[in-house]
Amino acid sequence: MRIAVNDDLVKKLESLSLVELSQDERSRIRKDLEDILAFFSKLDQLDLSEVEPTFHPVGAGKTRKDVPDDPLPVQEALLNARKIKEGYIIGPKTFGD
Amino acid sequence: MYLTMIGLEVHTHLTSLKTKLFCSCPSDYVGKPPNSNVCPVCLGLPGAIPVFNETALKFALMVGLALGSRISDRITFVRKHYFYPDMSKNYQISQYDGPGTEAVAMGGEVKLRDKKIRIRRINIEEDPAKSIYPTGSMLTSTYTMLDYNRSGVGMLEIVTEPDMSEPREAREFIEKLRSILEHLGVCDGSIEGAIRADANVSVEGGERVEVKNIGSAKDVESAITYEISRQRAAVSQGLGVRRETRHWDSERRVTVPLRTKETDEDYRYFPDPDLPPIQVTASLIEDIKSSMPELPDQRIQRFMAQYGINEYNATVLVMDKGLADFYERVTLHYNNYPKVASLLINDYLRWLNEKDMKISQSKAGPEQVAELLRMLENGTITIKIAKEFLPRMIYEGKSPRELMEATNMTALRDMTILEDIVNQVLAENPEVVKKAKADSKVIHFLVGQVMKKTGKRAEPETVYKLIEEKIARI
């Protein structure tokens, strides 16, 4: 499948990643994307019609028993939080712009 | 007539799990101080490695088998990306249908009274953190307070095809599903927030609208009812219905727009490298199949055969597992089974609903209910008295015998006393007696007068017959 690298694609990636690029950065990223896709396009030369898609390189995942363990002490759990209020971690609003 | 299509995505917590889905933090997060039930895995700290809970796998397979789904031969997990404060690692561990990967269970159905609702798929996924809005509303809050205690708790997402066409069917679907989950012992639906649903609703001539995060079966019915009338009004006024996501405001009983969906959200699903696939062996499925508990449809059939009750009553009882269990405990002490069913459904439930109580909160146990029925059967009390006693048994925990002694309410069965009272009433109401001679419906008024005079202690049918006889002779 060919992916068209154009301004629309770069803008979509910006919005998905929640970043805003300058015009200059946009053209650099566009060039990078083209190079990356060109590099991976080598895979297109292989005939994979008979090959099952690989979901994961490791075959057998592990499970664990449903036995509880002590959680972290609260102070430790909150150590990396930038803003705390009454034990809650403070995050941005979630409605509107 | 507009064609209406309703599909549901039901999110159910696996409340019977002792730990979260991918870490050993306790899954019982309710009522704990904020952020006191977390570890590096469920906080989403870099480098923390999730490991899947084997009991969660068993529960998911049980639900899939109970709904008649095709079980996937391996469990795969993907990362579903979105940026939101309730998900600190910026992806939710979930499942996806795509190349080399699918949900734990595909297809299946839930039988309602008069139709079958097809299941599209059943996903295993983790719950995000809980967001608290300082103003009480996400619409007006300028920041969000986050409690990660719930983050990582095991859930199943059960997605239906858009096979429902009425709000009532959506409520019935959730009630039936809840009963199935409770019979399987994987989810206690009475825990607040244990079962939530998103509803997709579309009417003819409009786009599909998704209503997010509805908290109960009753609210699902209300939210869909609201949404259908809103959409129909828009279509009939030529405004059209655009594709969007709305939020159910359970306080104001309306849906409000969240964001306009121009296209499907791009979640950039990809295999979670931390979670290699887990094989589901045939022997595991056989083990689970052979230890499956009795399911609601089987139990309804058994109730009809074993207790001789009709399908409607059997269904009402079984739709609430707690009620069905209670019913069976009463039948151990009292053997007129249809009478037990009718008392529970017509009277007992009414008093529970009156105070929004669960059956587990009732103070009237199976023995007390059986005793009440026995006193009714041997004529110690009348049905009127039984109906007076029941709420006090449920709310105050009084036994029927105690209530009888305290209130002196016993059936008035001395016919000479009863006849005296009837004669009195007839003498006091000559005009009514005349009317009653012409119209037998009027007799009920006279019965009411006798009941009043006897403090509800007379048996209404006996009084009716007595009055009927006397009037005929006048």
Side-chain angles (χ1 to χ4, degrees), chain A residues 8 34 36 68 73:
Chain A
D8 285 347
E34 276 162 2
I36 292 165

Side-chain angles (χ1 to χ4, degrees), chain B residues 129-372:
Chain B
K130 191 175 163 95
S131 304
I132 312 265
Y133 302 104
T135 65
S137 160
M138 70 156 31
L139 309 180
T140 51
S141 295
T142 53
Y143 62 94
T144 313
M145 295 160 80
L146 297 151
D147 173 10
Y148 280 84
N149 286 350
R150 192 183 71 188
S151 166
V153 165
M155 288 199 299
L156 295 181
E157 180 189 62
I158 300 168
V159 183
T160 75
E161 297 292 345
D163 287 351
M164 287 156 277
S165 48
E166 286 172 48
R168 172 189 59 84
E169 287 172 355
R171 191 199 72 222
E172 277 176 29
F173 174 85
I174 294 189
E175 284 169 353
K176 178 76 180 272
L177 182 65
R178 171 177 166 173
S179 180
I180 294 171
L181 297 169
E182 293 191 339
H183 279 84
L184 289 171
V186 303
C187 173
D188 177 356
S190 69
I191 296 174
E192 203 190 321
I195 298 178
R196 287 172 286 163
D198 302 341
N200 286 299
V201 183
S202 62
V203 301
E204 205 167 354
E207 294 279 328
R208 175 163 59 89
V209 173
E210 185 177 17
V211 184
K212 283 270 189 203
N213 210 17
I214 318 170
S216 72
K218 269 188 207 156
D219 271 13
V220 164
E221 187 175 14
S222 310
I224 295 173
T225 304
Y226 177 88
E227 197 47 38
I228 289 173
S229 49
R230 185 190 71 82
Q231 292 183 24
R232 281 184 184 165
V235 170
S236 67
Q237 289 162 22
L239 298 171
V241 178
R242 55 182 190 165
R243 187 158 180 190
E244 63 174 346
T245 301
R246 297 174 74 90
H247 165 78
W248 169 243
D249 184 332
S250 58
E251 293 297 315
R252 293 192 299 140
R253 319 296 295 167
V254 296
T255 66
V256 290
L258 266 186
R259 53 182 177 261
T260 306
K261 258 191 188 181
E262 279 152 10
T263 51
D264 267 324
E265 278 169 276
D266 192 339
Y267 290 121
R268 287 146 295 148
Y269 288 99
F270 73 72
D272 192 323
D274 291 340
L275 289 158
I278 292 155
Q279 304 302 319
V280 178
T281 59
S283 69
L284 176 62
I285 292 190
E286 278 318 306
D287 280 355
I288 291 170
K289 269 188 185 162
S290 62
S291 60
M292 283 284 267
E294 183 184 44
L295 292 168
D297 286 339
Q298 300 161 335
R299 199 173 192 193
I300 289 168
Q301 293 305 318
R302 177 168 66 80
F303 273 22
M304 289 163 63
Q306 184 177 343
Y307 300 118
I309 60 176
N310 63 37
E311 185 172 8
Y312 178 83
N313 281 357
T315 306
V316 173
L317 291 171
V318 172
M319 279 310 98
D320 179 345
K321 181 173 180 291
L323 185 65
D325 292 347
F326 188 83
Y327 174 73
E328 296 214 77
R329 287 202 296 272
V330 180
T331 62
L332 297 177
H333 305 280
Y334 183 75
N335 62 13
N336 189 333
Y337 307 135
K339 281 239 161 73
V340 180
S342 104
L343 183 82
L344 290 186
I345 292 169
N346 301 322
D347 300 295
Y348 198 91
L349 266 190
R350 187 193 136 207
W351 295 113
L352 287 183
N353 292 340
E354 184 100 356
K355 296 215 172 169
D356 220 5
M357 283 164 70
K358 294 180 245 165
I359 194 131
S360 55
Q361 294 168 310
S362 166
K363 290 183 177 163
E367 281 106 0
Q368 280 78 43
V369 172
E371 192 187 4
L372 186 76

